[in-house]
Amino acid sequence: MSKILEISDLKAIAKRRVPKMFFDYADSGAWTEGTYRANEEDFRKVKLRQRVLVDMTNRSLESTMIGQKVSMPVALSPTGLTGMQHADGEMLAAKAAEEFGVPFTLSTMSICSIEDVASVTTKPFWFQLYVMRDREFVKNLIDRAKAAKCSALVLTLDLQILGQRHKDLRNGLSAPPKFTPKHIWQMATRPLWCMQMLGTKRRSFGNIVGHAKNVSDLSSLSSWTAEQFDPQLSWENVEEIKKMWGGPLILKGILDVEDAKMAARTGADAIIVSNHGGRQLDGAPSSISVLPKIVDAVGHQIEVHVDGGIRSGQDVLKAVALGAQGTYIGRPFLYGLGAAGKAGVTTTLDIIRKELDITMALCGKRDIRDINRDVIAE
Ligand SMILES: Cc1cc2nc3c(=O)[nH]c(=O)nc-3n(C[C@H](O)[C@H](O)[C@H](O)COP(=O)(O)O)c2cc1C
């Protein structure tokens, strides 16, 4: 792993090790992928102030997200099908995050179940919820997250209808993969991935199969998912979920000031400024471009977090400077996982920590908690 210096190195390795349909699933955005690209490009437009001759010793990246201590303000985003980037992917990523001292968020649409992840971790992780029409199933998921001692519920608001990602349709993406000649070829050319996948029994949606009504086998699953996401989800439902859960709540997928104001009124603990990594509304602005407006509007009422396009520790510093108390990485940890399993996720976090630390020092700061818009160059 010695020649791996930046996240793009991990991405290149993941591309060689993960079957095309799953690599593409991570590396894709909706329609033209314009918002996906803007998320990354707009970080590059934010410039930092170089300061000199200030004491740079004793630096600290420790902070808090929703009052919980983090070794740096970076959490792992909830991502579906993570166990298809690498066998038992969610369990490996959760362990890497725990050892690093940052939050891991398990997706509803994960391959490993809530119980699987709880069985290999010792500290609480976070659980991301998609609200389904089958409210009994939702209640059951929440109860399972409580039983697993999850310390936050991340409620995703921006995917009640699925955005179209051309690559997934062209690739015929499914979990577990179909056995057509094309799919068999994609897997046969990734023998290590296949061997590891044959060594686990976790190859389908672990939170759903065997838990949701009438989903005991895989043939019924895809139609169930398409039918189940509730397109009538409302702010009243958010209140209901908040009550049902009764613990720290984070609302994910806010990109508009008006929505941010509504979210702040719910009494949730934080919002995540997010466009789902450019996978939903193509043509929406990048997350980093709307962050300052949202912080100005609601930052005094609710903690503001951000995700989308973070590819380095420099990006984390820029997000914190523009008012984010916490940040999340999706693809960067998926690339690490696809490249080298748990060690790859640790490498992702190491790279980001090092870049964040050096950037902070070169901006003349020693404590991440002192970072504000002062470090941004006009
Ligand atoms: C492959 C993939 C799967 C995702 N699945 C989910 C999901 O199940 N639930 C969710 O709330 N967000 C999901 N997201 C969105 C991420 O949580 C996050 O918002 C996004 O990845 C951040 O952008 P980044 O990948 O540029 O860091 C997914 C993103 C990716 C790349």
Side-chain angles (χ1 to χ4, degrees):
M1 307 278 278
S2 60
K3 292 209 188 92
I4 298 171
L5 301 177
E6 53 185 341
I7 299 301
S8 58
D9 295 331
L10 290 165
K11 180 174 179 179
I13 301 172
K15 191 168 184 176
R16 294 198 298 271
R17 295 182 66 137
V18 178
K20 182 175 167 23
M21 68 195 120
F22 297 119
F23 177 82
D24 281 357
Y25 171 65
D27 184 28
S28 61
W31 287 323
T32 70
E33 301 193 335
T35 297
Y36 175 28
R37 283 192 300 277
N39 276 347
E40 295 180 12
E41 285 162 8
D42 286 356
F43 267 107
R44 288 195 272 277
K45 294 181 192 154
V46 180
K47 302 295 175 201
L48 297 167
R49 277 174 76 196
Q50 169 180 303
R51 302 300 308 276
V52 296
L53 304 184
V54 285
D55 183 359
M56 292 179 183
T57 56
N58 296 327
R59 296 185 300 280
S60 169
L61 299 178
E62 275 176 25
S63 187
T64 58
M65 288 171 75
I66 54 162
Q68 300 177 18
K69 264 199 191 151
V70 289
S71 62
M72 63 179 177
V74 179
L76 269 50
S77 292
T79 52
L81 275 75
T82 301
M84 287 289 146
Q85 302 295 331
H86 188 288
D88 296 337
E90 292 89 355
M91 292 156 77
L92 300 180
K95 282 204 276 188
E98 170 172 300
E99 283 167 22
F100 211 91
V102 295
F104 170 79
T105 319
L106 183 71
S107 164
T108 295
M109 303 308 287
S110 58
I111 300 293
C112 303
S113 67
I114 300 175
E115 293 77 12
D116 288 332
V117 173
S119 74
V120 295
T121 49
T122 55
K123 291 182 207 136
F125 56 97
W126 295 356
F127 180 66
Q128 174 266 328
L129 181 72
Y130 279 129
V131 180
M132 314 283 182
R133 289 178 212 252
D134 179 351
R135 291 298 203 271
E136 215 179 294
F137 174 65
V138 171
K139 164 98 175 50
N140 181 255
L141 269 179
I142 290 180
D143 287 344
R144 289 167 62 197
K146 279 187 200 169
K149 302 204 165 38
C150 291
S151 56
L153 187 75
V154 175
L155 179 60
T156 299
L157 306 177
D158 62 359
L159 196 144
Q160 295 314 117
I161 289 179
L162 196 67
Q164 180 166 318
R165 301 151 204 166
H166 293 328
K167 285 179 194 155
D168 292 350
L169 295 176
R170 291 195 174 113
N171 286 331
L173 176 84
S174 66
K178 293 181 200 117
F179 281 90
T180 66
K182 181 173 84 177
H183 295 107
I184 292 171
W185 172 250
Q186 286 187 7
M187 289 184 282
T189 52
R190 302 291 186 271
L192 187 62
W193 180 94
C194 289
M195 265 170 48
Q196 288 164 337
M197 210 48 92
L198 287 172
T200 180
K201 57 184 190 317
R202 300 178 188 89
R203 291 192 286 266
S204 186
F205 293 96
N207 288 328
I208 296 170
V209 174
H211 293 279
K213 253 185 263 156
N214 307 326
V215 186
S216 54
D217 65 357
L218 303 165
S219 56
S220 53
L221 186 64
S222 56
S223 53
W224 182 85
T225 312
E227 284 161 18
Q228 274 297 320
F229 283 78
D230 183 356
Q232 291 188 309
L233 186 72
S234 66
W235 288 105
E236 287 76 46
N237 297 142
V238 172
E239 297 288 346
E240 286 160 28
I241 302 282
K242 184 170 182 288
K243 272 201 203 106
M244 224 186 260
W245 166 245
L249 179 70
I250 301 174
L251 301 179
K252 176 173 187 281
I254 302 288
L255 207 63
D256 188 275
V257 168
E258 290 314 308
D259 288 340
K261 288 180 183 164
M262 303 279 275
R265 272 181 232 135
T266 64
D269 296 82
I271 56 171
I272 309 178
V273 174
S274 173
N275 50 36
H276 216 100
R279 297 163 76 80
Q280 285 295 96
L281 179 61
D282 188 36
S286 67
S287 310
I288 195 65
S289 69
V290 297
L291 175 69
K293 276 187 277 190
I294 292 183
V295 168
D296 289 344
V298 301
H300 58 290
Q301 280 173 287
I302 190 166
E303 206 167 288
V304 180
H305 300 172
V306 70
D307 76 18
I310 292 173
R311 297 293 176 268
S312 69
Q314 290 228 311
D315 295 342
V316 173
L317 189 96
K318 290 171 182 177
V320 171
L322 292 172
Q325 175 71 24
T327 67
Y328 298 73
I329 49 170
R331 292 167 184 101
F333 98 82
L334 293 177
Y335 297 148
L337 184 67
K342 181 183 165 219
V345 177
T346 304
T347 303
T348 298
L349 292 166
D350 273 333
I351 289 171
I352 288 185
R353 174 165 61 191
K354 189 169 178 195
E355 291 166 339
L356 176 58
D357 180 48
I358 294 178
T359 305
M360 186 172 78
L362 293 174
C363 288
K365 299 282 183 186
R366 299 196 298 181
D367 192 331
I368 193 83
R369 286 165 301 185
D370 294 339
I371 298 292
N372 56 33
R373 288 185 198 177
D374 273 0
V375 303
I376 304 290
E378 287 309 313

Coordinates of all heavy atoms in Angstrom, one line a residue, residues 18 22 25 76-94 104-107 109-112 193 197 205 330 333-334 337-338 345:
V18 N -12.9 -4.8 -8.5 CA -14.3 -5.0 -8.2 C -15.0 -5.2 -9.6 O -14.7 -4.4 -10.5 CB -14.9 -3.7 -7.5 CG1 -16.4 -3.8 -7.3 CG2 -14.2 -3.5 -6.2
F22 N -20.5 -3.3 -10.1 CA -20.5 -2.7 -8.7 C -19.5 -1.5 -8.6 O -19.8 -0.6 -7.9 CB -20.1 -3.8 -7.7 CG -21.1 -4.9 -7.7 CD1 -20.8 -6.2 -8.0 CD2 -22.5 -4.6 -7.4 CE1 -21.7 -7.2 -8.0 CE2 -23.4 -5.6 -7.4 CZ -23.1 -6.9 -7.7
Y25 N -21.6 1.2 -10.0 CA -22.6 1.6 -9.1 C -22.1 2.7 -8.2 O -22.9 3.6 -7.9 CB -23.1 0.3 -8.3 CG -24.1 0.6 -7.2 CD1 -25.3 1.2 -7.4 CD2 -23.7 0.4 -5.9 CE1 -26.2 1.5 -6.4 CE2 -24.6 0.7 -4.8 CZ -25.8 1.2 -5.1 OH -26.6 1.5 -4.0
L76 N -18.4 8.0 7.9 CA -18.6 7.2 6.7 C -20.1 7.3 6.4 O -21.0 7.0 7.2 CB -18.2 5.7 7.0 CG -16.8 5.4 6.6 CD1 -15.8 6.4 7.3 CD2 -16.4 4.0 7.0
S77 N -20.4 7.7 5.1 CA -21.8 7.8 4.6 C -22.5 6.5 4.6 O -21.8 5.5 4.3 CB -21.8 8.4 3.2 OG -21.3 9.7 3.1
P78 N -23.8 6.5 4.7 CA -24.5 5.2 4.4 C -24.5 5.0 2.9 O -24.8 5.9 2.1 CB -25.9 5.6 4.9 CG -26.0 7.1 4.8 CD -24.7 7.6 5.0
T79 N -24.1 3.8 2.5 CA -24.1 3.4 1.1 C -24.7 2.0 0.9 O -24.3 1.1 1.6 CB -22.6 3.5 0.5 OG1 -21.8 2.7 1.4 CG2 -22.1 4.9 0.5
G80 N -25.6 1.9 0.0 CA -26.2 0.6 -0.3 C -25.3 -0.3 -1.0 O -24.3 0.1 -1.6
L81 N -25.5 -1.6 -0.8 CA -24.7 -2.7 -1.5 C -23.2 -2.6 -1.2 O -22.4 -3.1 -2.0 CB -24.9 -2.6 -3.0 CG -26.1 -3.3 -3.6 CD1 -27.4 -2.5 -3.3 CD2 -26.0 -3.4 -5.1
T82 N -22.9 -2.1 -0.1 CA -21.4 -2.0 0.3 C -20.8 -3.4 0.3 O -19.6 -3.5 0.0 CB -21.3 -1.2 1.6 OG1 -21.9 0.1 1.4 CG2 -19.9 -1.0 2.0
G83 N -21.5 -4.4 0.7 CA -21.0 -5.7 0.8 C -20.8 -6.3 -0.6 O -20.4 -7.5 -0.7
M84 N -21.0 -5.6 -1.7 CA -20.7 -6.0 -3.0 C -19.4 -5.4 -3.5 O -18.9 -5.8 -4.6 CB -21.9 -5.7 -4.0 CG -23.1 -6.6 -3.8 SD -22.7 -8.3 -4.4 CE -23.7 -9.2 -3.2
Q85 N -18.9 -4.4 -2.8 CA -17.6 -3.8 -3.2 C -16.5 -4.8 -2.7 O -15.5 -4.9 -3.3 CB -17.4 -2.4 -2.6 CG -18.4 -1.4 -2.9 CD -18.4 -1.0 -4.4 OE1 -17.4 -1.1 -5.1 NE2 -19.6 -0.7 -4.9
H86 N -16.9 -5.4 -1.6 CA -15.9 -6.4 -1.0 C -16.8 -7.3 -0.1 O -17.7 -6.8 0.5 CB -14.9 -5.7 -0.1 CG -13.8 -6.6 0.4 ND1 -14.0 -7.5 1.3 CD2 -12.5 -6.7 0.0 CE1 -12.8 -8.1 1.6 NE2 -11.9 -7.6 0.7
A87 N -16.5 -8.6 0.0 CA -17.3 -9.5 0.8 C -17.3 -9.0 2.2 O -16.3 -8.5 2.8 CB -16.7 -10.9 0.8
D88 N -18.5 -9.0 2.8 CA -18.7 -8.5 4.2 C -18.3 -7.0 4.4 O -17.8 -6.6 5.5 CB -18.0 -9.4 5.2 CG -18.5 -10.8 5.3 OD1 -19.7 -11.0 4.8 OD2 -17.8 -11.7 5.7
G89 N -18.5 -6.3 3.3 CA -18.0 -4.9 3.3 C -18.4 -4.0 4.5 O -17.6 -3.2 5.0
E90 N -19.7 -4.1 4.8 CA -20.2 -3.2 5.9 C -19.5 -3.5 7.2 O -19.2 -2.6 8.0 CB -21.7 -3.3 6.1 CG -22.5 -2.7 4.9 CD -22.8 -3.7 3.8 OE1 -22.3 -4.8 3.9 OE2 -23.5 -3.3 2.8
M91 N -19.3 -4.8 7.5 CA -18.7 -5.2 8.7 C -17.2 -4.7 8.8 O -16.7 -4.2 9.8 CB -18.7 -6.7 8.9 CG -20.2 -7.2 9.1 SD -20.4 -8.9 8.6 CE -19.7 -9.8 10.0
L92 N -16.5 -4.8 7.6 CA -15.1 -4.4 7.6 C -15.0 -2.9 7.7 O -14.1 -2.4 8.5 CB -14.5 -4.9 6.3 CG -14.5 -6.4 6.0 CD1 -13.8 -6.7 4.7 CD2 -13.7 -7.1 7.1
A93 N -15.8 -2.2 7.0 CA -15.8 -0.7 7.1 C -16.1 -0.2 8.5 O -15.5 0.7 9.0 CB -16.7 -0.1 6.1
A94 N -17.1 -0.9 9.1 CA -17.5 -0.4 10.5 C -16.4 -0.7 11.5 O -16.1 0.2 12.3 CB -18.8 -1.2 10.9
F104 N -19.5 5.3 11.8 CA -19.9 4.5 10.6 C -21.4 4.5 10.5 O -22.1 4.3 11.5 CB -19.4 3.0 10.7 CG -20.0 2.1 9.6 CD1 -19.4 2.2 8.3 CD2 -21.0 1.3 9.9 CE1 -19.9 1.4 7.3 CE2 -21.6 0.5 8.8 CZ -21.0 0.5 7.6
T105 N -22.0 4.8 9.3 CA -23.4 4.8 9.1 C -23.8 3.6 8.3 O -23.4 3.5 7.1 CB -23.9 6.1 8.5 OG1 -23.1 7.2 9.0 CG2 -25.4 6.3 8.7
L106 N -24.6 2.7 8.8 CA -25.1 1.6 8.0 C -26.4 1.9 7.3 O -27.3 2.4 7.8 CB -25.4 0.4 9.0 CG -25.8 -0.9 8.3 CD1 -24.7 -1.5 7.6 CD2 -26.4 -1.9 9.3
S107 N -26.4 1.6 6.0 CA -27.6 1.9 5.1 C -28.7 0.9 5.4 O -28.4 -0.3 5.6 CB -27.1 1.8 3.7 OG -28.3 1.7 2.8
M109 N -30.2 -0.3 2.9 CA -30.0 -1.2 1.8 C -28.6 -1.8 1.8 O -28.0 -2.0 0.7 CB -30.2 -0.4 0.5 CG -31.5 0.4 0.3 SD -32.9 -0.7 0.6 CE -32.9 -1.6 -0.9
S110 N -28.2 -2.2 3.0 CA -26.9 -2.8 3.1 C -27.0 -4.3 2.8 O -28.0 -4.9 2.8 CB -26.3 -2.6 4.5 OG -27.2 -3.1 5.4
I111 N -25.8 -4.9 2.6 CA -25.8 -6.4 2.4 C -25.6 -7.0 3.8 O -26.4 -7.9 4.1 CB -24.5 -6.7 1.5 CG1 -24.7 -6.1 0.1 CG2 -24.4 -8.3 1.4 CD1 -25.8 -6.5 -0.7
C112 N -24.7 -6.6 4.6 CA -24.7 -7.1 6.0 C -25.8 -6.4 6.8 O -26.1 -5.2 6.6 CB -23.3 -6.7 6.7 SG -21.9 -7.4 5.8
W193 N -12.1 -11.2 -5.9 CA -13.4 -10.7 -5.4 C -14.3 -12.0 -5.3 O -15.1 -12.1 -4.3 CB -13.9 -9.7 -6.4 CG -15.3 -9.1 -6.0 CD1 -15.5 -8.0 -5.3 CD2 -16.6 -9.7 -6.4 NE1 -16.9 -7.8 -5.2 CE2 -17.6 -8.8 -5.9 CE3 -17.0 -10.8 -7.1 CZ2 -18.9 -9.0 -6.0 CZ3 -18.4 -11.0 -7.3 CH2 -19.3 -10.1 -6.7
M197 N -16.1 -13.6 -2.1 CA -17.6 -13.5 -2.1 C -18.1 -15.0 -1.9 O -19.2 -15.1 -1.2 CB -18.1 -13.0 -3.4 CG -19.4 -12.2 -3.4 SD -19.6 -11.0 -2.0 CE -19.0 -9.6 -2.8
F205 N -29.8 -8.4 0.5 CA -30.1 -7.2 1.4 C -30.4 -7.7 2.8 O -31.5 -8.1 3.1 CB -31.2 -6.4 0.8 CG -30.9 -5.7 -0.5 CD1 -31.2 -6.3 -1.7 CD2 -30.2 -4.5 -0.5 CE1 -30.9 -5.6 -2.9 CE2 -29.8 -3.9 -1.6 CZ -30.2 -4.4 -2.9
G330 N -18.5 9.2 1.1 CA -19.1 8.0 0.5 C -18.2 7.2 -0.3 O -17.5 6.3 0.1
F333 N -14.5 6.0 0.8 CA -14.3 4.7 1.6 C -14.7 3.5 0.8 O -14.1 2.4 1.0 CB -15.0 4.8 3.0 CG -16.4 4.2 3.1 CD1 -16.5 2.8 3.3 CD2 -17.5 4.9 2.9 CE1 -17.7 2.2 3.4 CE2 -18.8 4.4 3.0 CZ -18.9 3.0 3.2
L334 N -15.6 3.7 -0.1 CA -16.0 2.5 -1.0 C -14.8 2.1 -1.9 O -14.5 0.9 -2.1 CB -17.2 2.8 -1.9 CG -18.5 3.0 -1.1 CD1 -19.6 3.4 -2.1 CD2 -18.9 1.8 -0.4
L337 N -12.4 0.3 0.3 CA -12.9 -1.1 0.6 C -12.7 -2.0 -0.6 O -12.3 -3.1 -0.5 CB -14.4 -0.9 1.0 CG -15.1 -2.2 1.4 CD1 -14.6 -2.7 2.7 CD2 -16.6 -1.9 1.5
G338 N -13.1 -1.5 -1.8 CA -12.9 -2.3 -3.0 C -11.5 -2.6 -3.3 O -11.1 -3.7 -3.7
V345 N -10.0 0.8 3.8 CA -10.8 1.9 4.5 C -9.9 2.6 5.5 O -10.0 3.9 5.5 CB -12.1 1.3 5.2 CG1 -12.8 2.4 5.9 CG2 -13.0 0.5 4.2

